[in-house]
């Protein structure tokens, strides 16, 4: 069992190191990534061992790799150039124009109807 745990942790650490080299600008703090990879792989290997029992080392290591990859993918953010594009579109949107005239000071224009969020009757 100790070899299974060490193998799972090694796979998770290798995947975390590969992720920090491949996506350094899209991941948060490197310490968080290097801690998440092995811990996720250990959890995946432990769950596989509990479900399948002993004697399924290749399956446990594959599941450990999958769980580690899944949790590391949750740490990824948008690419910096993509985030810049989103900011520019928000900045370049024109401000809403005011109404050309107000019919009366006490009356307001009714907003257009929007669908209900609950998809049911109001």
């Amino acid at each position: 069992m100790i070899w299974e745990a060490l193998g799972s942790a090694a796979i998770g650490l290798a995947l975390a190191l590969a992720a920090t080299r491949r996506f350094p600008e899209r991941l948060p703090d490197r310490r968080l990534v290097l801690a998440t990879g092995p811990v996720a792989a250990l959890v995946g290997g432990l769950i596989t061992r509990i479900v399948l029992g002993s004697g399924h080392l290749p399956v446990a290591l594959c599941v450990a790799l999958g769980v580690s990859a899944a949790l590391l993918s949750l740490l990824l953010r948008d690419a910096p150039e993509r985030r810049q594009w989103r900011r520019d579109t928000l900045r370049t949107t024109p401000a809403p124009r005011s109404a050309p005239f107000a019919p009366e000071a006490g009356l307001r224009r009714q907003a257009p109807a929007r669908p209900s969020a609950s998809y049911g009757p109001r």
Side-chain angles (χ1 to χ4, degrees), residues 14-113:
L15 188 63
L17 282 171
T20 55
R21 290 182 142 260
R22 177 76 172 97
F23 307 110
E25 71 280 348
R26 293 182 61 189
L27 287 167
D29 189 22
R30 184 176 175 171
R31 293 174 294 179
L32 175 68
V33 174
L34 292 179
T36 301
V39 169
L42 280 171
V43 169
L46 178 68
I47 290 173
T48 306
R49 178 151 175 109
I50 289 171
V51 171
L52 296 179
S54 62
H56 298 282
L57 181 64
V59 176
L61 293 179
C62 288
V63 170
L65 178 70
V67 171
S68 180
L71 283 181
L72 285 174
S73 73
L74 293 176
L75 295 176
L76 285 173
R77 295 180 288 201
D78 284 343
E81 65 271 1
R82 193 165 173 202
R83 279 186 273 148
Q84 181 63 36
W85 177 77
R86 285 185 185 166
R87 271 194 227 115
D88 286 343
T89 56
L90 290 176
R91 252 188 249 136
T92 57
T93 358
R97 292 187 296 163
S98 61
F101 64 93
E104 293 181 19
L107 297 178
R108 292 185 352 189
R109 206 180 268 181
Q110 186 176 3

